[in-house]
Amino acid sequence: MSGNNTQNILNYLKNKNIKIFFSGIGGISMSAIAAALKQKGHTVGGSDIKEKSETVQLRDMGIEIFISHKSENVNGYDLLVYNARIKDDNPEIIRAKELNIPIIRRTEMLGALMQSCKASIGIAGTHGKSTVTSMMIEIFMQAETDPTFFIGAVYPPVNSAYKLGKDDYFIAEADEYSGFFADSPLNIAVILNIEMDHPDHFKDLQDVISCFEEYLSHASDTAIINADDENTLKASKNFKSRIITFGLQSDKANIFIKNIDYSNLFPEFDIVADGKLYAHIKLSVPGEFNIYNAAAAASSAYACGIGGSAVEAGLNIFKGASRRFEYKGELNGAKIYDDYAHHPTAIKKNLMEIKRFTQRNNKNLWCVFQPHTYSRTYELFGDLCEALSHADKLILTEIYSATEKNIYNIHSKDIAEKLNNCILIEDFGEIAEHLKKNASGGDIILIMGAGDINNLTQLLI
């Protein structure tokens, strides 16, 4: 596939008559960019392998949608944008080459859109990207800056994964898997944490760290770094501009947390910046990991000169991003939450934090988990089993392939055989019936995974 630099893309976008095709348009990030370009006055179309809420919404906006990838879909279009999972043998890519129309990555298009704002901020890391991006949006909105943003999840206050705001700040979730890092010149680059993930893309942990180091090389002004994460510190060791560190330890970080109160499910704490109280926070989302997320968001605001009052206001009203410990309702008096976690570390942290609460009340933590991709399940199998062992009651579905082929001969039954707290139920309807018969008041039901497991909540409420 061919690439185009930012200026070339900006030149294309000056012509409102060009028609832009998105191959894989149903993805949360692709659909957001397509919708934004439609809002800017461009003619947009695209394809995906199945109908989903995003394609329905795009069609309602007047965007031409094809369900299936076919070469003829591209006919009549002047520019093709593709996401990371679209390969060279895709018939739309082949046809675009035959027509000699420009072919660009999703992240190249996003990088071009960033150039419309004075200051661009990228939020990267193995865990917490969507949550921190959402927290930052809330803070910057409270500071009355009206930022433009693109996020890898629906942001509930606007019911969208993007918003075109003023031209001062552009806030974007940065995904290492998709190649965002190479395509997006930034003013401020945030790294939350770094772990081995995406084994279908990275050969080992050092390969991942090198990718994040490349990401930082595109930041012109500031790097915001987790001082408590060894791999993040390694990635930032050669960064030459300003570094702001955040963490839980005052002797390691410029911006740190103190006076943490865990007496409720949701923590309360102080944020100290350069030795002075910056903000007092009462979160409405649980866990130490969200304290770190709040510290990262506050550090980003501090780097931009935003006062602590906006940080307090933003974080104190923050209710979470879509599918990030999102409250959905109740079943038999049990509270139901939906969460995107699919990496062992995020799974373990979520389960341990919530179990702290359910144990105190002698109730059960139910987890319904859909493993995500054969490669991740195979490569991180041991860590995944250990993480899932922290649920009181675990229900597994079959692995969500995300277009992968099962060359690893791995199945959810392999996980179930390792765990005593687990049953395997593949059908969502049967899972719903099991929960209706067995969950009780005071329990917490956590629906977890990055595939289509969120559809289960519709059967429970």
Side-chain angles (χ1 to χ4, degrees), residues 48-84:
D48 214 297
I49 57 175
K50 62 180 180 180
E51 192 79 90
K52 54 184 75 171
S53 60
E54 288 83 1
T55 55
V56 172
Q57 291 169 0
L58 292 173
R59 190 181 286 110
D60 289 343
M61 292 178 64
I63 292 175
E64 184 177 41
I65 300 294
F66 301 95
I67 302 303
S68 73
H69 296 297
K70 295 181 179 179
S71 60
E72 56 266 31
N73 295 345
V74 184
N75 293 343
Y77 285 88
D78 307 298
L79 181 69
L80 184 142
V81 183
Y82 68 95
N83 67 22

Side-chain angles (χ1 to χ4, degrees), residues 273-286:
D274 288 330
K276 298 179 181 179
L277 178 64
Y278 182 46
H280 180 74
I281 308 301
K282 297 179 180 179
L283 287 181
S284 296
V285 287

Side-chain angles (χ1 to χ4, degrees), residues 238-252:
N238 294 320
F239 188 73
K240 303 302 183 186
S241 298
R242 178 175 67 156
I243 293 179
I244 295 175
T245 56
F246 66 90
L248 298 190
Q249 302 177 47
S250 60
D251 61 336
K252 294 176 63 176

Side-chain angles (χ1 to χ4, degrees), residues 433-455:
E433 289 303 313
H434 183 85
L435 289 170
K436 289 175 183 178
K437 291 177 182 178
N438 294 284
S440 59
D443 289 352
I444 289 182
I445 301 171
L446 185 59
I447 312 298
M448 187 180 288
D452 59 1
I453 188 63
N454 58 306
N455 293 330

